[in-house]
C-alpha cells in the first residue's frame, strides 16, 4: 500500500463496480453503504491505535463502497416508455456514426416521439447520403427494442446498448426530411468539423482502402473500412495499429514538441511541454474521447506533471489516476473490451518490458532504442492481453508476433506521415504527388499485412476460455517476470506449477463439458436451426444453406467455443422432416 496506494485503491474501486453490477443492490442497501463510506471518511480525522493499524483496510473498504455507489447511480437514468414494433414519426439528431453494414448505415443519436426523448441506434439504408451533425431529421420509422440473445454463448447486444443508456433501435426506410439547427453547441461543432475533414479525405486522390486507412489511423473513423481489410488486421494481430492509443498520442505529442522547441527560447522550454500537452488534449477532443485516447492523454499528462515538478514519474500512478477519472465519469466503461485491453496492456508493459530488454544488445543509439523498445513493448502487451483476447474473441494468431516485430517499428513514421496528410487535406493544401507517395506506401503496407493474414496454419480459432482459466493464465504471466529476470530453480518451479494448474483447470473444464449432451434450437434471421451435441462433436441442421458463412460466424463458432466442441458439421433439414426424436424426446421442427 505504501508503494502503490493509488493502484490498490483503484483495484478496490473496480471491485466495487463489479460487485454492484453482479448483485444489483437496491436503494436502501446503497444508503447503508453510503453511511459506512461516510463513517470511514470521518474516522480518518481521528488518531487511535486501532484506526492506525486498520487504515489500509478501511481505505480499501471505502473505495470499494464508492465503486458500488457510483455504479448504482450510473445505472439510474430516465427511461422513455415508447410503443415498439410499430411505425412512428420520429424527429432525431445524430451524435455519433457507427460501423456500417452491407444493408445499413448506423448512427447513434437522440430521438423524439411525441413528448418522449430517448437515446437510440438509427439504421439508415446503405445507399442514403451521409447524415451530419448540423441538421435535425424527421422520418416515418419502425421502432424496436434490442432483444437479448437466446443463449449465453451469444453476444448480448441488448446489454451492450443498455450500458450506453440505449433502449431502442429505429429502422428508417422512407424519405428523411431535413431541417437545419439554428444553433450548434460546442460538441456538435467539433463533430461537424471532424466530419468535414473526413469528407475531404474521401475526395483525395488516393485509393479507397488508403483513404479508409488514413481516416482510421488518425481520426479514429473505421465506419466505412473494407471488411476484408479489418479481417486482415485482426488475423495478423495488428488491429491495435488502427486504434488511436498510446503510440499515436506519444507520436503526435512528439510532433508538437519538436515544433515548439524550434520556436520557444531555451529558458521557456517547460512551456513547450505545456503547449504540447494542450495540443494533444485538443486533438483528443477533436476526434472524440475514446477509452484508449483518454487513458493515453491522462497518463502522458500525469507523467509530464511529475517531470515539471521534478518528481520521479510513476507509470502505475498514472494508470490508476486515468482509471479513476474515466470510471468516475462513467462506471460502465469498465465493461468495455477496449478499456480492459488498454489498461491490461499498460500493466503488461510495466511488468515485462524491462526484463525483456535485458536480453537485447545495449541500446547505445536512437535507432537501436527505437527498434528494441518497440519489439519488447509489443511483446509485453501481447503476453499480458492474451488471456482477455482468448476470453472475448476465442482466437489467436502466432503470426501476429512476427507481424508486430516487422510492422510496429515503422509505425511511428506511418503515424507521422498520416498526421501530416490529414493536416494538409484538412486545410485543403492537398498535393497530388504527396497523395501518390502516401498511397503507394499504404498499399504496400496493406499487402504485407494481407500476406501475414493469409498464413492460415498459424491462425488458431475456436479456442475455449472461461473466467477461471483467464485468472489462472494471468498467474502464469505474473510468474513469467521472475523467470525472465533470473532463471533459477525457484522461479522455474513457480512458473511450472502455474502452468500445471492452468492445464489441470483446462482439462477439468473440457472433461465436464464433453460429458454433456444437448439439443438446442437457434434462430438466425428468419430460419430455424437446431443442433445436436454429443461429447465434443456437434451437428447443425439448417433449413437454408445459402447463409452458411454467416451461420458459421454467428452461431456455429460461438457455440463450439462455448461448449468446447472440436468437430462440427452442417446438414440440410429434409423438407419432409416434420419432427425429430432425441433421447426419448420429440422435437417439432416446423
Amino acid at each position: 500500500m505504501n508503494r502503490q496506494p493509488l493502484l490498490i485503491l483503484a483495484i478496490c474501486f473496480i471491485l466495487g463496480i463489479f460487485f454492484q453490477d453482479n448483485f444489483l443492490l437496491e436503494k436502501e442497501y446503497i444508503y447503508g453503504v453510503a453511511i459506512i463510506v461516510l463513517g470511514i471518511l470521518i474516522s480518518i480525522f481521528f488518531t487511535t491505535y486501532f484506526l492506525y493499524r486498520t487504515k489500509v483496510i478501511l481505505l480499501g473498504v471505502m473505495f470499494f463502497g464508492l465503486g458500488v455507489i457510483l455504479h448504482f447511480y450510473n445505472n439510474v437514468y430516465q427511461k422513455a416508455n415508447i410503443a415498439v414494433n410499430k411505425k412512428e414519426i420520429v424527429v432525431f439528431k445524430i451524435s455519433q456514426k457507427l460501423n456500417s453494414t452491407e444493408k445499413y448505415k448506423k448512427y447513434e443519436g437522440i430521438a423524439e416521439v411525441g413528448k418522449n426523448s430517448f437515446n437510440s441506434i438509427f439504421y439508415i439504408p446503405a445507399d442514403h447520403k451521409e447524415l451530419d451533425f448540423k441538421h435535425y431529421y424527421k422520418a416515418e420509422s419502425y421502432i424496436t427494442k434490442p432483444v437479448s440473445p437466446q443463449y449465453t454463448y451469444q453476444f448480448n447486444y441488448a446489454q451492450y446498448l443498455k450500458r450506453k443508456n440505449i433502449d431502442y433501435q429505429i429502422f428508417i426506410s422512407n424519405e428523411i426530411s431535413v431541417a437545419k439547427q439554428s444553433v450548434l453547441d460546442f460538441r456538435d461543432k467539433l463533430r461537424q468539423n471532424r466530419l468535414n475533414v473526413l469528407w475531404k479525405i474521401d475526395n483525395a486522390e488516393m485509393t479507397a482502402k488508403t483513404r479508409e486507412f488514413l481516416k482510421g489511423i488518425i481520426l479514429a473513423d473505421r465506419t466505412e473500412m473494407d471488411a476484408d481489410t479489418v479481417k486482415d488486421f485482426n488475423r495478423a494481430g495488428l488491429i491495435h495499429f488502427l486504434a488511436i492509443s498510446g503510440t499515436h498520442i506519444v507520436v503526435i505529442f512528439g510532433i508538437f514538441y519538436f515544433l515548439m522547441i524550434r520556436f520557444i527560447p531555451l529558458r521557456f522550454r517547460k512551456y513547450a511541454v505545456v503547449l504540447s500537452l494542450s495540443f494533444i488534449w485538443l486533438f483528443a477532443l477533436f476526434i472524440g474521447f475514446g477509452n484508449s485516447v483518454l487513458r493515453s492523454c491522462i497518463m502522458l499528462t500525469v507523467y509530464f506533471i511529475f517531470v515539471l515538478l521534478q518528481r520521479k514519474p510513476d507509470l502505475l500512478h498514472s494508470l490508476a489516476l486515468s482509471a479513476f477519472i474515466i470510471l468516475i465519469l462513467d462506471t460502465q466503461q469498465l465493461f468495455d473490451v477496449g478499456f480492459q485491453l488498454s489498461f491490461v496492456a499498460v500493466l503488461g508493459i510495466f511488468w515485462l518490458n524491462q526484463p525483456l530488454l535485458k536480453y537485447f544488445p545495449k541500446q547505445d543509439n536512437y535507432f537501436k532504442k527505437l527498434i528494441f523498445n518497440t519489439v519488447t513493448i509489443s511483446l509485453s502487451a501481447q503476453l499480458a492481453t492474451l488471456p482477455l483476447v482468448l476470453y472475448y474473441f476465442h482466437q489467436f494468431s502466432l503470426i501476429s508476433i512476427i507481424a508486430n516485430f516487422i510492422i510496429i517499428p515503422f509505425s511511428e513514421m506511418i503515424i507521422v506521415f498520416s498526421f501530416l496528410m490529414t493536416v494538409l487535406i484538412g486545410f485543403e493544401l492537398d498535393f497530388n504527388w504527396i497523395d501518390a507517395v502516401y498511397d503507394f506506401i499504404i498499399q504496400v503496407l496493406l499487402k504485407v499485412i494481407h500476406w501475414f493474414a493469409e498464413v492460415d496454419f498459424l491462425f488458431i480459432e475456436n479456442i475455449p476460455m472461461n473466467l477461471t482459466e483467464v485468472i489462472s493464465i494471468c498467474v502464469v504471466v505474473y510468474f513469467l517476470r521472475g523467470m525472465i529476470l533470473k532463471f533459477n530453480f525457484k522461479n522455474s518451479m513457480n512458473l511450472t506449477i502455474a502452468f500445471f494448474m492452468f492445464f489441470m483447470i483446462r482439462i477439468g473444464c473440457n472433461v465436464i463439458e464433453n460429458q454433456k449432451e444437448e439439443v438446442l434450437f437457434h434462430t438466425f434471421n428468419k430460419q430455424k436451426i437446431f443442433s445436436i451435441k454429443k461429447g465434443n462433436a456437434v451437428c447443425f441442421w439448417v433449413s437454408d444453406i445459402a447463409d452458411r458463412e454467416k451461420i458459421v460466424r454467428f452461431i456455429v463458432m460461438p457455440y463450439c467455443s462455448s461448449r468446447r466442441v472440436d468437430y462440427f458439421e452442417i446438414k440440410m433439414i429434409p423438407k419432409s422432416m416434420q419432427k425429430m426424436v432425441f433421447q426419448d424426446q420429440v422435437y417439432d421442427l416446423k
Side-chain angles (χ1 to χ4, degrees):
M1 186 71 175
N2 291 330
R3 295 183 62 183
Q4 295 296 339
L6 275 179
L7 180 64
I8 294 173
L9 294 178
I11 292 172
C12 292
F13 184 74
I14 288 169
L15 290 175
I17 296 173
F18 274 123
F19 180 86
Q20 173 60 20
D21 196 72
N22 283 280
F23 293 98
L24 298 174
L25 298 183
E26 297 296 334
K27 183 176 288 187
E28 55 269 21
Y29 294 105
I30 296 298
Y31 288 153
V33 174
I35 292 171
I36 294 172
V37 169
L38 184 60
I40 295 174
L41 184 62
I42 293 172
S43 70
I44 294 175
F45 297 97
F46 295 92
T47 55
T48 66
Y49 178 76
F50 173 77
L51 291 175
Y52 174 77
R53 298 292 296 178
T54 60
K55 181 176 67 174
V56 173
I57 298 174
L58 292 175
L59 282 173
V61 172
M62 185 178 76
F63 277 84
F64 180 90
L66 287 173
V68 171
I69 295 168
L70 279 178
H71 193 56
F72 171 80
Y73 283 104
N74 191 61
N75 283 326
V76 178
Y77 64 96
Q78 190 69 32
K79 295 182 180 180
N81 187 15
I82 306 297
V84 296
N85 299 325
K86 59 180 294 188
K87 289 189 176 181
E88 295 277 3
I89 300 298
V90 178
V91 177
F92 65 97
K93 59 177 290 189
I94 65 169
S95 58
Q96 183 180 356
K97 186 181 179 185
L98 306 177
N99 291 342
S100 299
T101 65
E102 295 178 2
K103 193 174 181 181
Y104 295 107
K105 291 178 180 176
K106 294 168 60 179
Y107 297 89
E108 182 180 322
I110 301 173
E112 287 188 5
V113 175
K115 295 182 179 180
N116 292 307
S117 178
F118 54 94
N119 296 326
S120 180
I121 300 295
F122 301 92
Y123 294 80
I124 313 294
D127 57 355
H128 195 279
K129 70 175 184 179
E130 200 81 41
L131 305 186
D132 59 39
F133 301 96
K134 59 184 180 181
H135 289 93
Y136 291 110
Y137 299 94
K138 182 179 180 180
E140 185 180 45
S141 312
Y142 189 78
I143 304 175
T144 66
K145 292 198 76 169
V147 179
S148 297
Q150 288 177 284
Y151 306 109
T152 55
Y153 72 84
Q154 296 172 301
F155 175 64
N156 194 337
Y157 187 60
Q159 185 184 51
Y160 169 78
L161 292 181
K162 187 178 180 181
R163 292 194 184 282
K164 301 176 72 175
N165 296 339
I166 297 173
D167 293 314
Y168 296 94
Q169 294 173 293
I170 295 178
F171 293 83
I172 301 172
S173 57
N174 298 326
E175 183 179 350
I176 302 176
S177 303
V178 180
K180 192 170 184 179
Q181 297 184 43
S182 57
V183 179
L184 286 179
D185 62 25
F186 180 70
R187 289 179 300 175
D188 283 338
K189 286 180 180 178
L190 280 176
R191 292 166 181 163
Q192 186 60 42
N193 287 332
R194 174 174 173 267
L195 186 60
N196 291 339
V197 176
L198 292 172
W199 287 344
K200 290 176 182 177
I201 293 175
D202 285 333
N203 294 322
E205 294 295 327
M206 295 180 284
T207 57
K209 288 188 175 182
T210 300
R211 292 197 297 266
E212 297 306 324
F213 176 86
L214 176 58
K215 292 193 291 185
I217 196 172
I218 297 299
L219 296 176
D221 181 276
R222 303 207 306 266
T223 56
E224 300 295 334
M225 184 169 285
D226 180 70
D228 291 333
T229 302
V230 176
K231 183 179 178 181
D232 286 344
F233 275 90
N234 271 313
R235 290 178 66 92
L238 291 165
I239 195 66
H240 61 88
F241 185 46
L242 287 176
I244 306 293
S245 60
T247 302
H248 299 71
I249 296 301
V250 169
V251 170
I252 293 169
F253 172 86
I255 294 172
F256 288 132
Y257 184 72
F258 175 81
L259 295 174
M260 289 297 102
I261 60 176
R262 294 295 181 274
F263 300 103
I264 295 179
L266 183 63
R267 65 180 181 275
F268 298 121
R269 186 62 54 86
K270 65 179 181 181
Y271 296 109
V273 174
V274 175
L275 288 173
S276 300
L277 289 174
S278 302
F279 278 125
I280 65 165
W281 278 103
L282 289 173
F283 173 75
L285 182 65
F286 182 74
I287 65 173
F289 282 120
N291 285 330
S292 57
V293 175
L294 187 57
R295 186 262 306 163
S296 302
C297 289
I298 293 172
M299 289 188 63
L300 194 66
T301 302
V302 172
Y303 176 88
F304 278 104
I305 287 174
F306 276 105
V307 171
L308 294 174
L309 295 176
Q310 298 182 346
R311 301 287 183 87
K312 184 179 179 181
D314 191 298
L315 179 65
L316 294 184
H317 282 173
S318 303
L319 182 69
L321 185 59
S322 60
F324 269 127
I325 293 172
I326 293 173
L327 294 178
I328 287 172
L329 294 173
D330 182 9
T331 56
Q332 297 288 5
Q333 293 293 335
L334 179 61
F335 304 95
D336 182 81
V337 178
F339 176 93
Q340 296 176 17
L341 290 174
S342 177
F343 278 83
V344 170
V346 175
L347 285 173
I349 293 168
F350 167 81
W351 192 245
L352 297 175
N353 184 51
Q354 290 302 320
L356 286 173
L357 273 175
K358 294 184 178 181
Y359 289 87
F360 286 79
K362 186 178 180 182
Q363 300 129 59
D364 50 6
N365 60 57
Y366 175 79
F367 181 75
K368 287 183 178 180
K369 185 179 292 186
L370 172 65
I371 297 297
F372 297 156
N373 272 277
T374 301
V375 170
T376 55
I377 287 173
S378 176
L379 184 58
S380 301
Q382 285 190 75
L383 287 171
T385 56
L386 179 61
L388 286 179
V389 169
L390 297 180
Y391 179 70
Y392 286 115
F393 306 110
H394 305 289
Q395 63 183 32
F396 179 71
S397 176
L398 293 172
I399 199 67
S400 66
I401 299 174
I402 302 172
N404 276 274
F405 286 170
I406 295 175
I407 301 296
I408 296 302
F410 302 99
S411 61
E412 292 189 13
M413 291 182 288
I414 293 172
I415 292 170
V416 171
F417 197 179
S418 300
F419 185 78
L420 174 63
M421 289 296 300
T422 304
V423 172
L424 291 176
I425 294 173
F427 285 100
E428 299 182 347
L429 301 172
D430 200 9
F431 301 98
N432 290 335
W433 67 271
I434 298 181
D435 289 352
V437 172
Y438 182 78
D439 193 17
F440 173 77
I441 292 173
I442 300 306
Q443 286 300 308
V444 171
L445 173 68
L446 295 178
K447 287 178 181 178
V448 172
I449 293 172
H450 178 70
W451 182 85
F452 282 122
E454 285 192 318
V455 185
D456 289 331
F457 70 94
L458 291 178
F459 183 75
I460 308 168
E461 56 185 345
N462 190 28
I463 304 172
M465 183 70 62
N466 60 31
L467 194 56
T468 305
E469 291 170 307
V470 169
I471 295 171
S472 63
I473 201 171
C474 285
V475 175
V476 173
V477 176
Y478 175 82
F479 284 116
L480 183 62
R481 174 186 169 90
M483 187 74 167
I484 297 172
L485 284 172
K486 188 175 182 181
F487 183 82
N488 56 29
F489 178 77
K490 178 183 177 182
N491 291 333
S492 61
M493 283 303 298
N494 287 338
L495 188 61
T496 302
I497 292 171
F499 262 116
F500 180 76
M501 291 301 298
F502 165 70
F503 284 116
M504 288 293 292
I505 293 170
R506 188 167 186 79
I507 291 170
C509 293
N510 289 341
V511 170
I512 292 171
E513 195 61 52
N514 288 338
Q515 289 177 342
K516 298 178 181 178
E517 296 183 355
E518 69 176 355
V519 174
L520 292 180
F521 283 81
H522 318 262
T523 301
F524 182 77
N525 292 335
K526 294 183 179 180
Q527 69 166 302
K528 287 185 178 180
I529 304 168
F530 75 89
S531 61
I532 303 175
K533 173 185 175 295
K534 288 186 177 181
N536 67 341
V538 62
C539 180
F540 290 88
W541 296 80
V542 301
S543 57
D544 186 359
I545 204 70
D547 288 332
R548 177 187 171 90
E549 185 179 342
K550 290 183 179 180
I551 291 171
V552 170
R553 179 182 175 187
F554 296 109
I555 300 293
V556 176
M557 298 311 293
Y559 178 85
C560 290
S561 58
S562 172
R563 300 298 194 266
R564 299 174 184 268
V565 171
D566 294 328
Y567 310 100
F568 73 87
E569 58 180 328
I570 301 175
K571 295 182 179 180
M572 284 285 295
I573 301 175
K575 293 183 179 180
S576 60
M577 193 172 178
Q578 302 289 326
K579 296 182 180 181
M580 179 193 70
V581 179
F582 180 75
Q583 291 184 345
D584 299 328
Q585 288 190 354
V586 179
Y587 297 91
D588 188 4
L589 301 181
K590 298 297 181 180

